[in-house]
């Protein structure tokens, strides 16, 4: 009984540590975003805004009124969504073939995907920079969507084929025996079973696209297509020792909100997708 | 549409040996389904990589594109004989080893806690995904400001560090700040992978070990870890290769100052900032090759170590 209590206390402490680990830096950046510019530049060390150092919502108002920042949000949302939709469509076709059909080159597809997932992104930036300029898609939406797609495909393919492999495909035939047409059987039986997997793959893909930085800074040169992470890093100004910290913090919080909302809504699916793709794959 | 064809192909397979017509049809369908994704992946990776291989043999700068001249392997020689390349390699490898070691230990501890927790499971899983969801750039900023002596809190929280200590004034302390950000962000991912591995360790075996009088440590070393080796290997491999490409955090936190540059950063600087496509391409190829070497070493290392561990157990 003693050990029982001990392990309960241990678990309790463990939970507290995990929560602190995950939330502390987030709380910190939120706290920073409410400090006034003045308090920050004059040096106000400490976690919370000291008395008189608060800025209310003014940092947020400033950030949201900044046209470059607004443009970056639109770019990020547009590019990430388009890349996600296209990538998931292609990955679904591929994963279906991998889970369902016997064909030559199945191993090749899976290996290619794995190698690309491990590719050092920076090593492609040079040639892509050169190619995109020749093709005239440098600093445009397609110029980012295409690399995002190809780098999210591996994750989506692995996750989806792990999901699809667990679908009892015989049910489709059973439905046909019961008098459904092939299309009806597929739509009514398989699609509902596959949908959660497809959705999970979409969330993970969106994560990746939203988080990307290397392509974002090297394949754009103006606000034409520059996504949020890149825009934030260029927000810094010429003097790296005098960054507008509280303003940046507000921008960072704004850039993080969409992702955190996704996490809060879909945590179950995300965990399933991450572990299915990596461990069972 | 596709499903109809697939069904027919599948139905034809029920007798064990499929007629060659059927299997050929299935093959053709599969290739059609796979082709778009495969083509896209190859266009963005294989083709540029081959082009990098080609460009690396030239003295080629975008500031003087007409002066492109073939110089053979000179770019590689330039890179490999430069101290900068090796210094950055050492930095990268050090970051990789230290962060992955911390992530593995802390991530495993987190996984053990999460494995035990029954109540509040949803809350913990949600919060553990938050660092994963936060953009790396944002995490870099958060930690940079946290470590800043002007407006951060780290100095005042650490009792053995002076309040005016400037973390970003020299190499080692800058690297600590960079690694803190990296470890914070990716440990949760590691712990989720390990949690999935933990779930595969059979409770019966643990119970049996307990009955036989094995201590907590013995159970950990003889039962849990050996049974999780696949999950651990996957987690370490993924994270190590990820850490080897470290770029975002360095760009945001130090911009490579005080010798905190990684190999990725060096490559980026040559190509994008200085437009040196020739030497930059050579660095791209070297970066790619070194990632392969790292992957190879990890796979080898794990096989040997784990086989040893198994024989002992």
């Amino acid at each position: 009984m003693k050990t029982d209590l001990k392990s309960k206390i241990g678990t309790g402490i463990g939970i507290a540590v995990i929560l602190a680990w995950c939330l502390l830096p987030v709380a910190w950046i939120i706290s920073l975003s409410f400090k006034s510019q003045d308090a920050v530049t004059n040096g106000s060390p400490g976690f919370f805004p000291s008395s008189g150092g608060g800025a209310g919502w003014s940092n947020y108002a400033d950030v949201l009124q900044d046209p470059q920042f607004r443009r970056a949000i639109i770019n990020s949302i547009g590019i990430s969504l388009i890349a996600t939709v296209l990538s998931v469509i292609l990955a679904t076709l591929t994963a279906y073939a991998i889970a369902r059909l016997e064909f030559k080159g199945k191993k090749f597809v899976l290996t290619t995907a794995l190698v690309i997932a491990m590719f050092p992104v920076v090593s492609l930036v040079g040639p892509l920079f050169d190619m995109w300029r020749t093709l005239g898609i440098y600093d445009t939406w397609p110029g980012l969507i295409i690399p995002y797609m190809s780098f999210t495909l591996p994750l989506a393919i692995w996750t989806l084929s792990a999901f699809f492999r667990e679908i009892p495909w015989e049910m489709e035939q059973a439905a046909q025996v019961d008098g459904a047409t092939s299309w009806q059987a597929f739509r009514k039986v398989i699609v509902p079973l596959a949908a959660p997997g497809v959705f999970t793959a979409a969330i993970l893909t969106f994560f990746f696209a939203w988080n990307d930085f290397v392509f974002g800074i090297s394949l754009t040169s103006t606000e034409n297509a520059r996504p949020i992470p890149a825009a934030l890093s260029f927000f810094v100004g010429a003097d790296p020792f005098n960054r507008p910290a509280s303003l940046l913090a507000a921008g960072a919080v704004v850039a993080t909100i969409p992702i955190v909302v996704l996490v809060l809504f879909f945590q179950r699916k995300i965990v399933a997708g991450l572990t299915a793709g990596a461990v069972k794959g | 549409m596709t499903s109809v064809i697939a069904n027919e192909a599948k139905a034809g397979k029920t007798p064990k040996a499929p007629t060659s017509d059927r299997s050929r049809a299935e093959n053709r369908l599969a290739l059609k389904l796979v082709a778009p994704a495969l083509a896209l992946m190859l266009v963005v990776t294989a083709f540029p990589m081959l082009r990098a291989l080609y460009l690396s043999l030239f003295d080629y700068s975008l500031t003087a594109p007409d002066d492109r001249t073939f110089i053979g392997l000179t770019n590689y020689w330039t890179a490999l004989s430069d101290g900068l390349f090796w210094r950055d390699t050492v930095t990268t490898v050090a970051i990789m080893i230290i962060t992955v070691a911390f992530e593995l230990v802390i991530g495993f501890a987190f996984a053990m806690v999460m494995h035990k927790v029954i109540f509040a499971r949803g809350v913990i899983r949600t919060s553990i995904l938050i660092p994963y969801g936060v953009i790396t750039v944002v995490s870099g900023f958060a930690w940079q400001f946290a470590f800043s002596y002007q407006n951060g809190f780290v100095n005042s929280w650490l009792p053995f560090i002076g309040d005016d200590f400037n973390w970003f004034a020299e190499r080692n302390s800058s690297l600590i700040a960079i690694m803190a950000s990296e470890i914070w962000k990716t440990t949760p991912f590691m712990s989720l992978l390990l949690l999935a591995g933990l779930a595969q360790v059979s409770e019966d075996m643990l119970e049996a070990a307990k009955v036989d009088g094995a201590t907590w440590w013995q159970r950990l070393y003889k039962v849990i870890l050996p049974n999780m080796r696949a999950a651990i290997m996957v987690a370490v491999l993924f994270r190590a290769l990820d850490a080897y490409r470290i770029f975002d955090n360095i760009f945001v936190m130090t911009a490579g100052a005080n010798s905190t540059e990684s190999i990725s950063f060096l490559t980026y600087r040559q190509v994008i900032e200085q437009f040196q496509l020739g030497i930059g391409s050579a660095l791209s190829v070297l970066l790619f090759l070194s990632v392969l070497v790292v992957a190879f070493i990890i796979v080898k290392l794990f096989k040997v170590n784990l086989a040893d561990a198994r024989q002992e157990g």
Side-chain angles (χ1 to χ4, degrees), chain A residues 21 28 100 102 119 211 243, chain B residues 26 136 142 144 184 245 252:
Chain A
W21 174 282
W28 154 245
R100 188 75 200 276
E102 276 313 316
F119 227 85
N211 191 23
R243 286 177 168 171
Chain B
E26 193 166 328
T136 317
Q144 192 206 10
W184 173 72
R245 327 181 262 206
V252 169

Side-chain angles (χ1 to χ4, degrees), chain A residues 143-168:
Chain A
L144 283 182
I145 291 171
I146 294 169
Y148 285 2
M149 280 177 72
S150 87
F151 271 83
T152 51
L153 274 172
L155 183 66
I157 291 173
W158 278 83
T159 313
L160 277 173
S161 52
F163 263 105
F164 284 5
R165 235 173 268 150
E166 313 225 317
I167 292 178

Side-chain angles (χ1 to χ4, degrees), chain A residues 12-34:
Chain A
I13 294 173
I15 294 173
V17 171
I18 294 179
L19 289 181
W21 174 282
C22 297
L23 302 179
L24 194 78
V26 177
W28 154 245
I29 198 115
I30 292 173
S31 151
L32 187 62
S33 72
F34 284 108

Side-chain angles (χ1 to χ4, degrees), chain A residues 211-251:
Chain A
N211 191 23
D212 162 77
F213 182 61
V214 177
F215 290 129
I217 55 167
S218 32
L219 299 179
T220 64
S221 59
T222 65
E223 59 192 63
N224 208 5
R226 185 170 285 158
I228 281 195
L232 277 178
S233 82
F234 286 116
F235 206 55
V236 168
D239 180 7
F241 295 105
N242 230 338
R243 286 177 168 171
S246 55
L247 210 57
L248 261 174

